[in-house]
């Protein structure tokens, strides 16, 4: 193990000790929160219309929206979860990064521009364009809420673990209070700032996150003579000498190749079905800007995921797997512990504030998406039969944000201690199973009809959730000797019968198959409406008419 580690005994936190200086950590946190709240309040001055609240008045350029998409996408899972996964499992952990990045090509080539041209505010606008409004909007809203809930769980769990590490909060009660505070700040962002305020928070956070990760990467590489090969070799040697495994060997985490393929399918196909990412395409004025924003997002996200490789192996060498596993935040503590090892209290405070900002921004984006779906798709279309005024819609969206925030806080408390990259992979599996088949069929298959849409959304959703509940993720994994706990969510019980961690390999093809069977067993379909949708999706003609009520 490196000499650096022996000189920093504080890195293996005993009960009640902290990493770094809690006063500095709280100070940097508070500064960030105050600055972003000021921006949100300033941005919220014109949030009167529905277009302002849901889509930021479509006033963002492609570059601004691309940075915000990166901010939305580079969640706590990307920063904390993946760095931890690479530090513990090496090569296998890096597969998360590759999957998340390749996924953007699906979003760029198949979805981004077409979606922007057809819809107004939510995914359901596209799905219900040529189908029966009421049942399809209800199904799309349910799917949006479920995906958002799983994603929210991951972010809130990350917040609890991160702040516990920084403030030395060992007890579960303290971590729960932290999650409550995060939830309350996020609710304020969404209710006051709407999409405009949320977008600016995401832009600031994306810039800070990428700069912070780049700084740490250069610092880590500097310790190894700017030679990546030396870093990988030393990290592997350190891991093996501490009784660990060869980090460059595949198969440390995914001993079953089918499990790996299932995860890869969920990661690659899930992005194009994530409601909070899809909603970002509506904040730009034209389809050309929608394309530009995805190109910007791909560059920024690609660079960031390359940096995670260095951060993960850097943490494995400079901090060590044992210290990471024993920290209050578990695997998710790798990046903050590495920051402390490199730059002491100040760098730790800055990187942790950035991670905290990451959680706040992503949670705000998820909440606004879910609340927009409730107010725009359920309240306006189903309850008010399309007759609600934009003012009424925005009011309902704000109430929904309050309720969803409360649910997220409770869920986050239950999800404490889970690896967040892993929880997010489940959200991706649900998005890929329920949303993606319906979006692709809607955009590209002339015969597609209401029954096909309902079968694919509900079939994908129910199969993914059922398989997750009865998978080893929830119960039945062997106890890890290092932590004395089972990696499963529920301890001491075993009711799993599905052998894989991620349901993607079954539930994604099933979503496509059910959509096909549902469509061909029904004769209903609207050829004129499909022709209109095709022209609009490919040319953007008439898209602006949909944006102004």
């Amino acid at each position: 193990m490196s000499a650096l580690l022996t000189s920093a005994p504080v890195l293996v936190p005993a009960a009640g000790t902290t990493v770094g200086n809690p006063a500095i950590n709280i100070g940097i946190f508070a500064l960030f929160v105050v600055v972003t709240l000021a921006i949100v309040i300033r941005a919220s001055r014109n949030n009167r219309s529905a277009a302002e609240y849901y889509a930021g008045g479509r006033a963002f350029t492609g570059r601004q929206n691309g940075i915000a998409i990166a901010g939305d996408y580079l969640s706590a899972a990307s920063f904390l979860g993946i760095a931890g996964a690479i530090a513990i499992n090496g090569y296998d952990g890096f597969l998360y990064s590759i999957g998340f990045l390749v996924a953007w090509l699906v979003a760029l080539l198949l979805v981004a521009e077409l979606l922007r041209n057809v819809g107004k505010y939510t995914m359901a606008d596209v799905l219900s364009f040529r189908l029966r409004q009421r049942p399809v909007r209800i199904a799309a809203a349910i799917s949006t809420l479920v995906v958002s809930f799983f994603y929210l769980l991951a972010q809130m769990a990350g917040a609890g673990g991160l702040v516990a590490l920084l403030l030395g909060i060992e007890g579960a009660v303290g971590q729960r209070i932290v999650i409550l505070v995060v939830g309350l700040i996020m609710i304020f962002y969404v209710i006051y700032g709407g999409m405009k305020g949320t977008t600016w928070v995401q832009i600031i956070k994306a810039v800070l996150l990428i700069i912070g990760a780049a700084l740490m990467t250069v610092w880590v590489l500097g310790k190894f003579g700017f030679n990546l090969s030396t870093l990988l070799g030393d990290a592997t040697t350190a891991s093996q000498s501490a009784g660990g495994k060869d980090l460059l060997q595949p198969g440390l985490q995914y001993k079953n190749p089918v499990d790996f393929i299932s995860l890869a399918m969920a990661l690659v196909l899930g992005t194009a079905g994530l409601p909070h990412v899809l909603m970002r395409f509506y904040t730009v004025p034209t389809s050309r800007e929608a394309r530009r924003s995805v190109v910007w997002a791909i560059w920024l996200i690609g660079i960031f995921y390359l940096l995670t490789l260095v951060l993960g192996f850097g943490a494995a060498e400079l901090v060590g797997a044992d210290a990471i596993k024993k920290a209050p935040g578990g695997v998710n503590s790798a990046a903050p512990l590495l920051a402390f090892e490199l730059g002491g209290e100040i760098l730790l405070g800055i990187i942790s504030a950035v991670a905290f900002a990451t959680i706040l921004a992503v949670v705000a984006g998820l909440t606004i998406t879910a609340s927009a779906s409730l107010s725009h798709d359920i309240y306006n279309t189903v309850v008010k039969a399309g007759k609600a005024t934009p003012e009424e819609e925005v009011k309902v969206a704000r109430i929904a944000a309050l309720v969803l925030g409360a649910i997220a806080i409770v869920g986050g408390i239950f999800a404490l201690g889970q690896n967040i990259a892993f929880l997010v992979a489940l959200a991706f599996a649900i998005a890929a199973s329920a949303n993606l088949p319906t979006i692709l069929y809607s955009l590209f298959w002339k015969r597609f009809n209401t029954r096909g849409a309902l079968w694919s959304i509900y079939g994908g959703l129910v199969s993914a959730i059922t398989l997750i509940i009865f998978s080893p993720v929830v119960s039945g994994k062997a106890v890890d000797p290092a932590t004395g706990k089972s990696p499963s969510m529920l301890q001491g019980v075993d009711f799993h019968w599905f052998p894989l961690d991620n349901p993607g390999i079954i539930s994604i093809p099933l979503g496509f198959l059910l959509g096909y069977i549902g469509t061909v067993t029904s004769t209903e379909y609207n050829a004129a409406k499909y022709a209109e949708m095709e022209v609009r999706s490919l040319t953007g003609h008439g898209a602006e008419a949909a944006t102004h009520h």
Side-chain angles (χ1 to χ4, degrees):
M1 198 60 76
S2 148
L4 274 160
L5 186 54
T6 52
S7 67
V10 73
L11 263 185
V12 185
T17 59
T18 51
V19 176
N21 181 333
I24 292 175
N25 295 340
I26 289 178
I28 297 174
F29 273 26
L31 179 68
F32 179 83
V33 170
V34 168
V35 170
T36 49
L37 287 178
I39 289 164
V40 165
I41 291 165
R42 179 134 192 253
S44 69
R45 285 179 185 164
N46 330 331
N47 269 342
R48 289 180 190 84
S49 70
E52 286 283 350
Y53 187 78
Y54 296 139
R58 295 190 167 73
F60 290 97
T61 64
R63 182 174 64 200
Q64 287 171 333
N65 194 44
I67 298 170
I69 289 174
D72 222 346
Y73 196 67
L74 297 174
S75 62
S78 302
F79 185 45
L80 303 175
I82 293 178
I86 294 171
I88 304 294
N89 295 311
Y91 177 91
D92 279 19
F94 189 53
L95 293 170
Y96 277 109
S97 288
I98 295 165
F100 283 143
L101 178 58
V102 172
W104 270 103
L105 297 175
V106 180
L108 173 66
L109 297 173
L110 295 179
V111 175
E113 184 186 349
L114 304 179
L115 202 80
R116 159 71 189 73
N117 290 342
V118 176
K120 285 186 214 166
Y121 307 129
T122 65
M123 179 180 80
D125 287 337
V126 178
L127 302 187
S128 63
F129 188 87
R130 61 192 179 98
L131 309 175
R132 290 207 305 277
Q133 292 275 329
R134 197 183 170 103
V136 173
R137 278 192 188 273
I138 291 172
I142 290 170
S143 173
T144 296
L145 291 171
V146 172
V147 173
S148 299
F149 178 69
F150 267 88
Y151 221 104
L152 275 169
L153 278 190
Q155 307 308 318
M156 297 302 243
L162 173 73
V163 182
L165 173 76
L166 300 175
L167 307 184
I169 298 167
E170 280 285 312
V173 176
Q175 295 192 29
R176 286 169 187 164
I177 293 168
V178 167
I179 289 177
L180 176 66
V181 172
V182 172
L184 293 175
I185 296 171
M186 171 272 293
I187 290 168
F188 181 87
Y189 280 168
V190 173
I191 290 178
Y192 272 88
M195 183 54 99
K196 195 173 274 183
T198 303
T199 301
W200 280 113
V201 172
Q202 282 160 342
I203 289 172
I204 294 163
K205 169 237 128 159
V207 171
L208 289 175
L209 180 63
I210 292 167
I211 290 172
L215 174 72
M216 283 172 66
T217 299
V218 172
W219 203 325
V220 167
L221 285 174
K223 287 186 176 291
F224 297 91
F226 291 98
N227 187 329
L228 182 62
S229 212
T230 308
L231 166 64
L232 300 182
D234 285 4
T236 303
T237 309
S239 170
Q240 287 175 312
S241 62
K245 306 154 187 167
D246 181 352
L247 295 179
L248 295 176
Q249 284 299 315
L252 297 189
Q253 190 171 355
Y254 303 106
K255 296 185 172 51
N256 176 352
V258 181
D259 214 344
F260 166 62
I261 293 167
S262 191
L263 173 78
M265 284 177 68
L267 296 184
V268 170
L269 298 174
T271 298
L274 287 177
H276 67 293
V277 172
L278 298 177
M279 194 170 170
R280 291 234 57 91
F281 296 128
Y282 299 131
T283 63
V284 290
T286 63
S287 55
R288 183 170 173 272
E289 292 296 317
R291 266 202 315 276
R292 251 186 88 204
S293 58
V294 182
V295 173
W296 267 92
I298 286 179
W299 273 105
L300 293 172
I301 291 165
I303 289 165
F304 179 83
Y305 281 136
L306 286 174
L307 302 181
T308 59
L309 180 67
V310 175
L311 297 181
F313 276 97
E317 158 66 358
L318 299 172
V319 180
D322 281 351
I324 293 167
K325 284 181 182 170
K326 287 176 186 162
V331 177
N332 306 323
S333 308
L337 288 172
L338 176 63
F340 182 69
E341 184 60 66
L342 293 170
E345 294 171 354
I346 301 294
L347 184 64
L348 172 75
I350 292 168
I351 292 300
S352 304
V354 169
F356 192 62
T358 297
I359 291 164
L360 277 175
V362 175
V363 165
L366 285 163
T367 308
I368 198 164
T369 303
S371 65
S373 190
L374 278 172
S375 62
H376 182 64
D377 300 328
I378 301 285
Y379 174 74
N380 187 5
T381 309
V382 179
V383 179
K384 288 285 193 174
K387 296 187 175 68
T389 65
E391 290 73 23
E392 285 175 335
E393 245 189 71
V394 171
K395 187 179 171 188
V396 171
R398 288 185 162 137
I399 295 167
L402 198 62
V403 174
L404 290 162
I407 294 169
I409 289 166
V410 173
I413 288 168
F414 280 104
L416 268 174
Q418 299 294 322
N419 180 338
I420 42 190
F422 180 69
L423 282 171
V424 165
L426 299 182
F428 272 68
I430 298 168
S433 308
N435 297 349
L436 186 67
T438 328
I439 290 169
L440 294 182
Y441 281 151
S442 284
L443 290 171
F444 299 110
W445 188 18
K446 192 180 198 172
R447 271 278 283 118
F448 193 54
N449 56 31
T450 303
R451 183 189 287 181
L454 297 179
W455 281 29
S456 92
I457 292 178
Y458 287 128
L461 196 62
V462 170
S463 62
I465 291 174
T466 305
L467 293 177
I468 287 169
I469 289 170
F470 293 105
S471 75
V473 173
V474 173
S475 71
K477 282 193 179 176
V479 173
D480 181 351
T483 58
K485 287 171 71 179
S486 161
S488 297
M489 285 186 191
L490 301 178
Q491 304 291 317
V493 288
D494 181 3
F495 50 81
H496 88 281
W497 48 260
F498 182 66
L500 307 177
D501 278 1
N502 195 296
I505 199 165
I506 306 285
S507 59
I508 298 170
L510 192 61
F512 278 99
L513 179 65
L514 288 170
Y516 174 78
I517 295 170
T519 300
V520 296
T521 55
S522 164
T523 53
E524 169 207 7
Y525 99 100
N526 188 335
K529 206 72 174 139
Y530 176 73
E532 184 191 335
M533 182 173 180
E534 191 172 37
V535 168
R536 183 187 280 193
S537 68
L538 294 174
T539 65
H541 178 72
E544 291 311 308
T547 67
H548 302 299
H549 292 290

